[in-house]
């Protein structure tokens, strides 16, 4: 691991200004970032790591009219256990409860969860041995390589990684807004394959909080190879707003959470066992699996049906 300077931020704006030239990266719980630094997966390395945890009052969970305000530094364990989140945004509490293990949920934050880097094994290989598209290389090795855990809905800017954050589909399904030091971004537009990031943040932009509309009903389900601690192979969140419209969002199937308009179209008459099954079929009707991951289609179809059945 290369040496870096360590700085403790006193405010989000201070952290943003120190990170503006790209040579400093921010850290919350460190459960994702420190692994990438230890393995030296990048051709370039940050000179400074800015600890956000010293910023006061950025970890709250509160009600504000029709929405919840959740600070970016809120720990995943607090999000999972909060009665407020469980009552009004059940999908988010359920998703946070399924992240990793209790120790990681006690360290990891909601901001860090949505900003975590992709878990693609080519992107993450130590010492930048696969200089992939995201790092300035010519191709994505997963396109014809071992792509069993990769996208089944095509590429984003040439990258076929799959999103690995459990809370992201829930935030998109709930219609959340990501509030940064520069702007407000709908969660639906926040994620993607963007250089070393899995989101559209720019250098010197720090996530401060999430505004999450209260949902009449919402639910989350996850399929992973191990139940105790594992990233999602596929996950799914659904949420029904006050107008009765239902959003269906899959994770683990594309570099960003994948909102399925095809599935949602099947739910215009309401959510019941029959429409849930049709939505599952519709969700995968436009899938374009790679050589080794067609098995994910069956999992996605079933998860959409099961998650919708939870709110039927
Ligand atoms: C063994 C293991 C298992 C895991 N399993 C899962 C799993 O099942 N599901 C899952 O979703 N994740 C999983 N993770 C990934 C991850 O560690 C957690 O998701 C955690 O939530 C990351 O939060 P953190 O606060 O530790 O982030 P950090 O490691 O501090 O940061 C992660 C990234 O986000 C950026 N960042 C952090 N906060 C902000 C902010 N406020 N503004 C802008 N950028 C920010 C950092 O610069 C960094 O790039 C796992 C990790 C490990 C090590």
């Amino acid at each position: 691991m290369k040496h870096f300077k360590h700085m403790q931020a006193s405010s989000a704006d201070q952290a943003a200004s120190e990170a503006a030239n790209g040579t400093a990266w921010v850290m919350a719980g460190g459960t994702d970032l420190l692994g990438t630094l230890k393995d030296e997966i990048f051709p370039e390395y940050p000179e400074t790591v800015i600890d956000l945890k010293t910023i006061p009052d950025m970890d709250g969970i509160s009600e504000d009219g029709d929405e919840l305000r959740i600070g970016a530094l809120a720990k995943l364990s607090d999000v999972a256990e909060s009665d407020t989140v469980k009552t009004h945004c059940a999908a988010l509490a359920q998703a946070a409860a399924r992240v990793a293990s209790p120790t990681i949920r006690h360290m990891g934050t909601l901001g860090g969860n949505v900003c975590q880097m992709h878990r693609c094994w080519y992107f993450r290989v130590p010492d930048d041995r696969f200089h992939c598209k995201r790092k300035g290389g010519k191709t994505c090795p997963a396109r014809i390589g071992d792509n069993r855990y990769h996208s089944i809905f095509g590429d984003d800017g040439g990258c076929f990684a799959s999103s690995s954050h459990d809370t992201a589909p829930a935030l998109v399904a709930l219609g959340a807004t990501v509030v940064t030091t520069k702007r407000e971004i709908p969660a639906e537009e926040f994620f993607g394959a963007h250089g070393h990031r899995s989101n559209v943040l720019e250098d010197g932009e720090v996530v401060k909080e999430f505004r999450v509309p209260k949902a009449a009903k919402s639910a989350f389900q996850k399929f992973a190879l191990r139940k105790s601690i594992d990233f999602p192979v596929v996950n799914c969140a659904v949420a029904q707003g006050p107008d009765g419209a239902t959003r269906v969002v899959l994770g683990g199937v594309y570099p960003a959470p994948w909102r399925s308009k095809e599935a949602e179209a099947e739910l215009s008459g309401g959510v019941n066992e029959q429409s849930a099954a049709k939505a599952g079929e519709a969700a995968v009707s436009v899938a374009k699996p790679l050589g080794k991951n067609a098995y994910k289609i069956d999992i996605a179809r079933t998860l959409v049906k099961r998650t919708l059945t939870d709110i039927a």
Side-chain angles (χ1 to χ4, degrees):
M1 189 174 192
K2 291 183 183 147
H3 285 278
F4 55 79
K5 286 184 230 151
H6 181 254
M7 193 199 122
Q8 294 183 317
S10 55
S11 72
D13 286 334
Q14 186 209 12
S17 133
E18 294 287 343
N21 68 5
T23 59
W25 291 5
V26 299
M27 179 179 78
T31 62
D32 182 47
L33 184 72
L34 290 176
T36 66
L37 299 187
K38 276 186 191 156
D39 285 343
E40 299 184 20
I41 70 172
F42 300 110
E44 282 159 20
Y45 218 71
E47 289 168 14
T48 307
V49 170
I50 304 172
D51 187 357
L52 301 179
K53 289 193 302 297
T54 42
I55 300 173
D57 303 326
M58 220 167 81
D59 61 354
I61 299 176
S62 61
E63 284 184 61
D64 187 5
D66 292 339
E67 56 185 21
L68 303 192
R69 296 178 65 170
I70 306 179
L73 292 176
K75 288 186 178 158
L76 292 164
S77 53
D78 291 336
V79 175
E81 285 156 25
S82 158
D83 287 336
T84 309
V85 183
K86 282 186 198 166
T87 303
H88 300 293
C89 300
L92 183 59
Q94 291 163 6
R98 290 297 312 275
V99 173
S101 62
T103 38
I104 289 175
R105 292 196 291 276
H106 279 300
M107 283 296 291
T109 62
L110 185 59
N113 190 261
V114 302
C115 295
Q116 68 177 273
M117 293 174 217
H118 286 98
R119 280 279 149 178
C120 167
W121 48 29
Y122 294 109
F123 177 70
R124 292 250 174 180
V125 81
D127 307 320
D128 187 27
R129 286 201 290 274
F130 287 97
H131 191 63
C132 73
K133 185 92 179 160
R134 297 274 295 281
K135 299 175 185 170
K138 289 201 176 80
T139 56
C140 171
R143 193 172 61 81
I144 53 169
D146 190 339
N147 46 41
R148 73 187 97 156
Y149 297 126
H150 290 76
S151 170
I152 55 169
F153 286 109
D155 67 297
D156 183 6
C159 171
F160 286 87
S162 61
S163 66
S164 45
H165 9 43
D166 276 313
T167 62
L171 289 168
V172 175
L174 289 159
T177 301
V178 185
V179 182
T180 78
T181 43
K182 285 189 182 161
R183 53 191 165 146
E184 295 189 2
I185 311 168
E188 197 170 346
E189 294 164 22
F190 181 74
F191 299 94
H194 183 214
H196 68 267
R197 296 193 174 95
S198 63
N199 54 59
V200 299
L201 291 181
E202 295 161 5
D203 290 340
E205 189 168 19
V206 173
V207 177
K208 293 200 293 187
E209 71 169 356
F210 301 87
R211 297 218 176 111
V212 195
K214 294 176 179 174
K217 289 178 180 178
S218 67
F220 171 88
Q221 290 223 12
K222 166 174 177 175
F223 178 89
L225 294 183
R226 288 177 300 181
K227 283 216 168 97
S228 54
I229 168 170
D230 212 347
F231 287 92
V233 173
V234 181
N235 57 20
C236 177
V238 302
Q240 209 167 58
D243 57 356
T246 304
R247 286 182 177 218
V248 178
V249 184
L250 285 158
V253 296
Y254 184 70
W258 179 266
R259 184 171 170 196
S260 176
K261 298 280 171 68
E262 293 79 12
E264 291 172 16
E266 298 293 339
L267 305 169
S268 52
V271 181
N272 52 47
E273 209 175 312
Q274 289 73 34
S275 65
K278 282 188 185 161
E281 291 294 344
V284 295
S285 61
V286 289
K288 298 179 280 187
L290 297 164
K292 295 183 173 63
N293 66 7
Y295 75 98
K296 278 190 176 191
I297 291 177
D298 288 337
I299 298 170
R301 180 196 296 114
T302 306
L303 270 196
V304 167
K305 181 181 156 192
R306 283 189 189 165
T307 318
L308 283 167
T309 308
D310 284 347
I311 64 159

